[in-house]
Amino acid sequence: MSVASRQEKGGVPTPSPPRGRLRLVYPLGFCSGVRRALSLCHRLLAKCPGRPLYVLRDLVHNHQVSRQLREEGVIFVEEVNQVPRGERLLLGAHGTTRETLALCRQRELEAHEATCPVILHRQNQLRHLPPEATVCLLGEAGHPEILALRDCLRDRRCYLVGNPQEAAALPSLPPNAFFFCQTSRGRDEVKEVRRILREKAPLLQDRAHLCRAQRVRQEELVEIAPQCDRVYILGSSHSANGRRLLQLAREHCPGPCRMLEEGEELLPEELAGVATVGLASATSTPDALVEEWVTRFRRLGFLLPQEEGAPFPESGSGGLRSPET
């Protein structure tokens, strides 16, 4: 994300008089998996101009992205059978089930998968587990990523848990049970579930890892939030990783925290008496929306650290980070 670098070159006038500090949680904007999905969508649109391109439910979980894609000609559908026979269908970034692919074949659809490579890797790990394996999966029931991961298990025993309490309530497990998680869960929650499962399965095969895009943002947010009077998360309410960032912000920031979606207003009186504002974004939040909100906070008098003449550290809170690659 190049917000800070462009501002250092004078792209946006610094407000006066300053009233506080703006702390950014890097990386900002799209993660590499979202960029990959959107790139595929735009390639398909450009390949056959005028030919319909359907997307099943959401390509990524962001209202602004979906609106922009509609304006570019994408047609969103809730069910495969809503797509006319023989047409093109793009499947979302969170993964696809065998049933969905079978329906695509039945309707002779030209199906394209935009599944994030991180999720594809998790799916391959699950498919290659031994038939007798027992899997504990931490995630949100009904989320498309969880539906796709569970679909890879076929007839293997799988326990889906939504929190540490549900993990503690599980029956006895084989000593070498496997542990996987939804890639957008909270790092502390994963650690606690891992601890509980190891008490039940001493030889636990731990495959529960957040994707780097989630992990780095969560780590940066946990470091910055205690230093802020308020923290705002840029994203859509149906973004699982955005909701997780908001939860972390509320756990670590001493003041109020909330999510900012497209079109929301921020009244100056909401920031009365606030000295430091923290700003983070979900992995499906457009870069342009991040740029817009950084500009708005600066116009309200909240300066970035380098604008105050403070040194810009190479790492840690406030450090300038490049987006994931």
Side-chain angles (χ1 to χ4, degrees):
M1 189 72 187
S2 56
V3 173
S5 59
R6 282 202 292 276
Q7 289 165 345
E8 287 178 321
K9 296 177 181 178
V12 179
T14 300
S16 180
R19 58 184 291 187
R21 170 178 282 199
L22 177 61
R23 306 299 300 270
L24 303 180
V25 176
Y26 291 94
L28 291 161
F30 291 147
C31 69
S32 58
V34 169
R35 293 185 193 279
R36 178 179 178 274
L38 291 174
S39 176
L40 174 57
C41 183
H42 289 130
R43 288 201 306 271
L44 291 171
L45 285 170
K47 183 178 180 181
C48 300
R51 183 184 176 190
L53 175 62
Y54 294 84
V55 168
L56 184 62
R57 302 183 188 95
D58 289 308
L59 183 59
V60 299
H61 286 165
N62 184 273
H63 295 306
Q64 183 180 6
V65 170
S66 297
R67 176 183 57 77
Q68 290 173 343
L69 291 178
R70 286 190 186 93
E71 293 173 355
E72 295 173 22
V74 168
I75 303 168
F76 287 87
V77 295
E78 289 298 315
E79 303 293 340
V80 173
N81 60 17
Q82 293 177 274
V83 182
R85 186 174 296 274
E87 290 293 355
R88 300 183 300 172
L89 176 63
L90 179 57
L91 303 165
H94 297 95
T96 304
T97 65
R98 288 171 292 163
E99 180 183 6
T100 297
L101 293 174
L103 289 172
C104 290
R105 289 191 293 270
Q106 290 174 14
R107 298 189 65 78
E108 301 178 329
L109 300 180
E110 181 185 320
H112 300 268
E113 294 187 70
T115 306
C116 170
V118 174
I119 297 175
L120 281 175
H121 178 63
R122 298 288 182 274
Q123 291 176 317
N124 287 331
Q125 286 182 313
L126 288 168
R127 290 190 186 101
H128 289 90
L129 292 181
E132 67 277 8
T134 295
V135 176
C136 298
L137 180 58
L138 171 64
E140 179 183 348
H143 189 281
E145 180 183 343
I146 288 298
L147 294 175
L149 291 177
R150 295 192 73 176
D151 186 66
C152 298
L153 291 170
R154 298 183 181 271
D155 297 325
R156 297 176 183 87
R157 176 176 294 178
C158 176
Y159 295 104
L160 176 64
V161 297
N163 52 53
Q165 293 73 30
E166 292 182 8
L170 288 176
S172 59
L173 299 171
N176 60 342
F178 289 82
F179 178 35
F180 286 79
C181 73
Q182 186 177 336
T183 57
S184 56
R185 303 302 290 193
R187 62 169 198 168
D188 293 338
E189 178 186 47
V190 173
K191 288 180 181 178
E192 178 62 12
V193 171
R194 181 183 292 120
R195 183 192 65 78
I196 293 169
L197 293 180
R198 279 181 172 155
E199 292 179 353
K200 295 175 176 289
L203 303 179
L204 185 71
Q205 304 295 305
D206 184 11
R207 308 287 174 82
H209 304 290
L210 303 178
C211 74
R212 183 178 182 277
Q214 312 288 348
R215 177 178 53 80
V216 173
R217 291 175 202 230
Q218 290 185 21
E219 290 173 352
E220 291 285 296
L221 178 59
V222 167
E223 186 174 354
I224 288 175
Q227 307 167 33
C228 299
D229 300 299
R230 283 179 179 267
V231 172
Y232 295 93
I233 310 298
L234 303 180
S236 292
S237 56
H238 65 317
S239 165
N241 77 86
R243 293 196 305 270
R244 194 65 53 191
L245 288 173
L246 180 59
Q247 178 183 342
L248 279 175
R250 287 172 171 166
E251 290 173 357
H252 294 275
C253 176
C257 304
R258 71 180 179 95
M259 189 170 286
L260 291 174
E261 300 199 41
E262 181 191 16
E264 284 206 50
E265 292 297 324
L266 182 64
L267 300 177
E269 49 264 36
E270 184 174 333
L271 298 172
V274 173
T276 304
V277 170
L279 189 66
S281 73
T283 57
S284 54
T285 301
D287 297 353
L289 184 62
V290 177
E291 298 265 3
E292 175 189 334
W293 275 104
V294 169
T295 299
R296 291 171 70 175
F297 277 110
R298 294 178 73 250
R299 286 174 177 165
L300 289 168
F302 291 89
L303 306 186
L304 295 164
Q306 70 272 25
E307 294 174 320
E308 306 169 32
F312 219 38
E314 294 180 2
S315 63
S317 60
L320 182 60
R321 296 284 183 90
S322 300
E324 302 88 359
T325 56

